[in-house]
């Protein structure tokens, strides 16, 4: 936006209008710098001070060349020449110099004002950092979508082809009971793989929903329900699960996404236990943290080395090839945690086990505006609904 008010061009401008103009510039939500006839800063709004990492006293009287990186000085000269000829600069992409930090990308407008007052040149610069971050994030999401489509089609096509081929073999040998059982076991394995992939894709779809329905629920009851779902899961009888959580602890968030996060984590702790392990243990603990909760899911299974940990949250990545699955589990967990404004960390050592830490805020406190005040303090226990 170019600020070129006709009243500023009038040499008889009133003090009231002059003061109003300064207040307007000061409250502007983009960088605003005003220069005198020598191109020295004579006014800077608070946003300019913050973004350029300089106090007002350090900005005032700075020459315009000090505001721009050296490599932009030739561009600066051409802009000054243009505005002095009456050609305003609008939405020019360039950079501004930031003290002790990287230069920031901006969309810049620049104009010359005919006035007897200090206002001679006005520069308005819109910070493009957030725009750049949003663009990069969109590109990343597009790449993830391409990968998702390719890998999902591949992971669905393989098991379907196997099932079709096995059915054709069964038609040729309908009377051989042992062969029939063998083929049926292979069909079941392929169907299970299809189910894993489809459920993973469904959970991924859930995590990208725009509208979230927040509710309050008892955390311990919810986690016990999730653990109970694995009663007949392969290998569940070989794993001892310990749950530590206060009975009256309540969280206000999206319950379905919460369940998806911890169902994947419990499943992984069972799936990635050591082969023939007879002392497999999964420990789940919950405590109040900041203005929400932190849940740890720790096992003593296969674990991961550093290289595996770097790729733990990648889409379709399976760190241990012997384990069946879609490779979407931790990718979904990370996306869902971020969807709920949370964070996730992984600690692991090869053959020593894995610990996943998930922090989730209580959205009632976030929406109520108490987030900042409760950070670093122990939240009072909520009563069970």
């Amino acid at each position: 936006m170019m600020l070129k008010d006709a009243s500023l061009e009038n040499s008889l401008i009133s003090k009231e209008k002059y003061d109003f103009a300064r207040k307007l510039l000061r409250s502007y939500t983009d960088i605003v710098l005003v220069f005198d006839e020598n191109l020295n800063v004579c006014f800077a709004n608070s946003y300019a001070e913050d973004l350029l990492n300089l106090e007002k006293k350090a900005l005032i009287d700075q020459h315009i060349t000090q505001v721009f990186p050296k490599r932009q000085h030739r561009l600066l000269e051409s802009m000054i020449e243009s505005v002095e000829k009456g050609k305003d600069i609008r939405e020019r992409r360039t950079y501004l110099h930031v003290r002790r930090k990287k230069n920031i990308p901006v969309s810049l407008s620049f104009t010359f004002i005919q006035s007897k007052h200090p206002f001679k040149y006005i520069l308005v610069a819109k910070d493009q950092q957030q725009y750049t971050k949003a663009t990069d994030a969109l590109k990343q999401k597009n790449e993830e979508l391409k990968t998702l489509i390719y890998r999902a089609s591949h992971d669905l096509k393989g098991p379907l082809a196997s099932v079709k081929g096995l059915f054709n073999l069964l038609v040729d040998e309908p009377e051989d009971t042992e062969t029939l059982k063998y083929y049926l076991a292979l069909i079941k394995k392929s169907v299970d793989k299809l189910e894993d992939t489809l459920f993973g894709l469904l959970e991924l779809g859930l995590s990208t929903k725009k509208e979230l329905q927040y509710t309050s629920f008892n955390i311990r009851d919810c986690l016990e329900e999730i653990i109970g779902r694995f009663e007949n899961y392969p290998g569940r009888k070989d794993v001892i699960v310990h749950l530590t959580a206060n009975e009256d602890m309540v969280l206000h968030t999206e319950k379905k996404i919460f369940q998806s996060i911890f169902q994947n984590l419990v499943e992984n702790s069972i799936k990635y236990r050591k082969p023939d392990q007879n002392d497999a243990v999964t420990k789940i603990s919950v405590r109040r943290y900041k203005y929400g909760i932190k849940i740890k899911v720790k096992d003593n299974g296969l674990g991961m080395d550093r290289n595996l940990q770097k790729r733990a949250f990648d889409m379709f990545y399976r760190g241990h090839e012997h384990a069946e699955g879609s490779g979407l589990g931790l990718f979904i967990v990370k996306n869902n945690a971020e969807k709920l404004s949370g964070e996730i960390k992984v600690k692991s050592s090869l053959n020593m086990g894995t610990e996943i830490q998930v922090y989730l805020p209580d959205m009632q406190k976030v929406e109520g505006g108490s987030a900042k005040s409760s950070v670093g303090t122990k939240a009072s226990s909520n009563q069970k609904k």
Side-chain angles (χ1 to χ4, degrees):
M1 176 181 176
M2 187 61 57
L3 185 59
K4 188 175 181 181
D5 190 86
S7 63
L8 291 176
E9 296 178 350
N10 189 341
S11 61
L12 299 177
I13 185 172
S14 67
K15 184 179 183 302
E16 289 78 10
K17 288 183 178 180
Y18 180 77
D19 290 341
F20 172 77
R22 290 182 66 86
K23 289 178 181 178
L24 181 65
L25 294 174
R26 190 177 293 113
S27 63
Y28 208 63
T29 55
D30 294 325
I31 296 172
V32 178
L33 296 174
V34 180
F35 300 89
D36 60 21
E37 59 185 3
N38 297 316
L39 288 165
N40 295 321
V41 177
C42 59
F43 172 85
N45 68 342
S46 57
Y47 194 80
E49 296 174 49
D50 294 340
L51 213 57
L52 299 180
N53 199 31
L54 284 170
E55 295 181 5
K56 179 177 285 189
K57 61 182 180 181
L59 263 173
I60 299 301
D61 293 331
Q62 268 200 357
H63 192 263
I64 194 170
T65 53
Q66 294 176 280
V67 178
F68 287 81
K70 289 183 179 180
R71 66 176 183 273
Q72 299 291 316
H73 284 183
R74 183 170 294 181
L75 172 64
L76 177 60
E77 290 174 4
S78 67
M79 288 195 301
I80 294 170
E81 186 177 343
S82 294
V83 297
E84 288 180 342
K85 291 179 180 179
K87 298 179 181 178
D88 291 345
I89 304 297
R90 296 179 183 275
E91 302 298 327
R92 177 72 62 84
R93 293 290 179 88
T94 183
Y95 291 85
L96 292 184
H97 178 67
V98 180
R99 187 183 180 190
R100 298 193 186 95
K101 292 183 180 180
K102 292 182 179 179
N103 298 321
I104 58 169
V106 294
S107 175
L108 181 144
S109 297
F110 192 49
T111 191
F112 176 70
I113 294 178
Q114 298 284 353
S115 171
K116 292 184 179 180
H117 290 276
F119 296 106
K120 293 296 181 182
Y121 301 87
I122 295 182
L123 179 152
V124 178
K126 186 181 293 293
D127 180 13
Q128 292 291 305
Q129 291 179 111
Q130 296 304 317
Y131 172 81
T132 302
K133 288 179 182 177
T135 302
D136 290 344
L138 182 60
K139 288 179 181 177
Q140 182 181 347
K141 289 296 181 184
N142 285 337
E143 288 302 315
E144 288 177 353
L145 181 59
K146 290 178 183 178
T147 303
L148 176 64
I149 293 170
Y150 172 76
R151 289 298 302 269
S153 62
H154 177 271
D155 282 12
L156 292 173
K157 186 177 179 180
L160 281 173
S162 296
V163 170
K164 187 176 180 180
L166 289 166
F167 269 120
N168 289 334
L169 290 171
L170 282 172
V171 171
D172 296 333
E173 299 184 46
E175 297 179 0
D176 189 336
T177 305
E178 291 303 316
T179 302
L180 180 64
K181 289 181 178 179
Y182 173 72
Y183 286 152
L184 286 174
L186 292 177
I187 289 172
K188 184 180 183 303
K189 188 175 181 180
S190 293
V191 171
D192 287 344
K193 189 172 183 180
L194 277 172
E195 187 179 54
D196 280 343
T197 302
L198 286 172
F199 282 176
L201 293 172
L202 286 171
E203 286 189 74
L204 197 57
L206 173 68
S207 72
T208 55
K209 282 176 62 178
K210 291 183 179 179
E211 296 297 327
L212 299 179
Q213 300 296 322
Y214 297 128
T215 57
S216 294
F217 56 90
N218 183 276
I219 298 171
R220 186 182 181 90
D221 289 349
C222 187
L223 291 176
E224 285 179 345
E225 179 191 342
I226 291 169
I227 294 168
R229 294 175 186 177
F230 291 91
E231 184 177 351
N232 298 313
Y233 189 85
R236 170 64 183 90
K237 293 180 180 179
D238 300 326
V239 181
I240 298 172
V241 179
H242 290 295
L243 173 61
T244 304
N246 290 339
E247 293 183 356
D248 62 349
M249 194 177 291
V250 175
L251 184 69
H252 188 78
T253 189
E254 223 293 344
K255 188 174 182 180
K256 288 183 179 179
I257 294 182
F258 177 92
Q259 290 173 323
S260 171
I261 290 172
F262 293 101
Q263 182 161 316
N264 275 289
L265 293 181
V266 172
E267 182 178 0
N268 276 0
S269 72
I270 299 171
K271 187 185 298 181
Y272 295 109
R273 67 192 186 283
K274 296 171 187 174
D276 303 319
Q277 185 176 11
N278 55 17
D279 64 343
V281 178
T282 296
K283 295 180 179 179
I284 304 171
S285 61
V286 189
R287 67 181 178 90
R288 287 291 176 191
Y289 181 74
K290 292 185 178 179
Y291 48 97
I293 62 166
K294 178 179 281 189
I295 300 184
K296 295 181 181 179
V297 180
K298 184 176 182 180
D299 64 58
N300 62 344
L302 291 169
M304 297 179 279
D305 60 23
R306 288 186 178 180
N307 291 329
L308 286 184
Q309 288 182 58
K310 289 177 182 177
R311 299 193 61 189
F313 299 110
D314 287 0
M315 187 188 298
F316 291 108
Y317 183 71
R318 287 195 295 266
H320 300 281
E321 292 301 325
H322 76 276
E324 296 293 332
S326 64
L328 287 170
L330 285 181
F331 176 80
I332 291 170
V333 168
K334 184 174 185 294
N335 274 265
N336 281 347
E338 291 173 351
K339 189 69 175 178
L340 299 182
S341 303
E343 299 173 358
I344 183 168
K345 293 180 181 179
V346 59
K347 295 180 179 179
S348 188
S349 298
L350 193 61
N351 295 319
M352 296 295 289
T354 299
E355 178 181 290
I356 304 289
Q357 298 181 12
V358 181
Y359 163 70
L360 295 175
D362 188 303
M363 298 311 294
Q364 214 164 33
K365 295 179 181 179
V366 173
E367 292 170 348
S370 62
K372 291 183 179 179
S373 62
S374 60
V375 172
T377 63
K378 186 175 181 180
S380 60
S381 299
N382 292 315
Q383 293 184 351
K384 184 176 178 180
K385 286 188 73 178

